[in-house]
Amino acid sequence: MKNYKKYFLIFDKNADLHYLDSGATTLKPKMVLEKMMEYYTEYSANIHRGLYPISEKATEEYENTRQKVADFIGAKYPGEIVFTSGTTDSLNLAAAGWAKRNLKAGDEVMVTIAEHHSNFVPWQQLALKNNFKFVVSGEVTKKTKLLAINHVSNVLGTVTPIKSIIKKAREISPEICVVVDGAQAVGHMPVDMVDLDADFYAFSGHKMYGPTGVGVLYGKAKRWLEMEPTRFGGGMIKTVSTTESTWADGPEKFEAGTPPIAEVIGLGATIDFIKEIGRENIVKHEKELTDYLIEKINKIEWLKIMGLGISSGRLGVVSMYSEAPGMGTSHDMADILGREFNVCVRAGHHCAMPLHTQFGVETGTVRVSLGIYNTKEDVDELIKGLEKVWMTFIKK
Ligand SMILES: Cc1ncc(COP(=O)(O)O)c(C=O)c1O
């Protein structure tokens, strides 16, 4: 199995780091950091404004990233890509900018029980405030005007068959707007907007080996035309008078103010990094490790995997819990793993409380989530740490 740690500087100073929390945020490769440094040291100007070379260079790099993102996710036009601060911001923009304007009282907004709070709460709140009907994991009907669904669950790791779901939903409710939360998908599997046919698709740079503070909302060109900006200020206007204002035509209309320039440029380098490694190699590496992880966890009698304990149809995200009498909480487990083994995992509800309630695991789970830098040794260290957890709580 190939070792990709050499691309990540963090391991130079933390050789024994077992980072199994990529679902929260991935580590950043050297290429991305260098690109951001390049911006700050060589052409650190604002974009779209200056008529001097370093501003033009910054603008070119920023807009090149828009094109790179469009190509990377199979969008038809770069104008369908709007930069945001992350998935949460993207989903809130779709809710406040599109749904608030285009739905009417009584329309149904549907989410699934397996959504991250970022793709649950904005729709719930929107529905409450506008008298839309908020439906959780129901049947799509003619009344369903919006479906918000994840591409990969950040708790179960399952890959949702969104292409067939979208196709079916459109047969039942032709005008339905489908918003996909791709936060856990884009860095780990190929995605193609034309093929999936989603209306909106949201993701974060920092979960795909890129910088924090930048995300993307893809929207079909016609959906952007139906949308209102939700934030106002510099950069997004065409004209302003003392009585009214008009908006820029392109994606800038939704990017008010100075955007996260270095982060967007860094996101471009992230795409270069993923291409250099090869998307098929990422899929293969993470699949092999997921198989290994699931096989090992399934051998531990006192641990249960939330959802299906199989590796097909899922990416490298596994949440587990224990019902053994005397066992500590998910936080106790993660604490031992972190402090004693330098194994970094996530404990709690992972921003998916309704799903934990549905499974009856109110106290939370321990989540392991893989990235390209992980190796079988990281999984072995996790298993060693879990043995210590067992010895601590049960065999006192
Ligand atoms: C499935 C999913 N959606 C949305 C988010 C929110 O992403 P961000 O915090 O980058 O906005 C996360 C983050 O964990 C996630 O896993």
Side-chain angles (χ1 to χ4, degrees), residues 23-24 86-89 91 116 118 152 154 181 183-184 204 206-207:
T87 308
T88 305
D89 195 27
L91 294 166
H116 185 283
S118 292
V152 174
N154 70 312
D181 174 353
Q184 296 292 341
S204 300
H206 74 99
K207 291 187 197 285

Side-chain angles (χ1 to χ4, degrees), residues 22-25 85-91 114-119 150-155 181-185 202-207 212-215 346 350-351 367:
S22 296
T25 195
S85 70
T87 308
T88 305
D89 195 27
S90 297
L91 294 166
E115 299 313 312
H116 185 283
H117 295 162
S118 292
N119 200 30
N150 68 78
H151 199 171
V152 174
S153 159
N154 70 312
V155 177
D181 174 353
Q184 296 292 341
F203 57 97
S204 300
H206 74 99
K207 291 187 197 285
T212 55
V214 61
R346 187 77 180 266
H350 325 301
C351 299
R367 183 183 72 184

Side-chain angles (χ1 to χ4, degrees), residues 207-279:
K207 291 187 197 285
M208 54 180 287
Y209 310 108
T212 55
V214 61
V216 168
L217 181 63
Y218 156 85
K220 280 184 181 171
K222 72 161 185 169
R223 293 300 188 196
W224 286 119
L225 294 176
E226 295 165 355
M227 197 144 158
E228 273 290 304
T230 56
R231 292 164 58 248
F232 304 92
M236 53 79 68
I237 51 91
K238 194 183 274 170
T239 60
V240 179
S241 74
T242 53
T243 51
E244 58 179 13
S245 302
T246 59
W247 317 133
D249 290 324
E252 307 89 71
K253 177 173 168 183
F254 302 97
E255 295 174 1
T258 298
I261 304 168
E263 288 75 7
V264 168
I265 292 171
L267 181 63
T270 308
I271 291 173
D272 295 340
F273 168 74
I274 291 178
K275 283 195 192 145
E276 188 177 315
I277 300 288
R279 269 165 148 180

Side-chain angles (χ1 to χ4, degrees), residues 98 145-149 162 165-167 169-170 173 175-180 196-201 218 223:
W98 188 86
K145 294 294 183 312
L146 187 136
L147 173 65
I149 188 165
I162 50 170
I165 291 174
I166 293 173
K167 189 164 176 283
R170 289 207 200 291
S173 179
E175 293 305 308
I176 196 167
C177 175
V178 184
V179 182
V180 178
L196 292 176
D197 195 30
D199 293 278
F200 291 104
Y201 193 99
Y218 156 85
R223 293 300 188 196

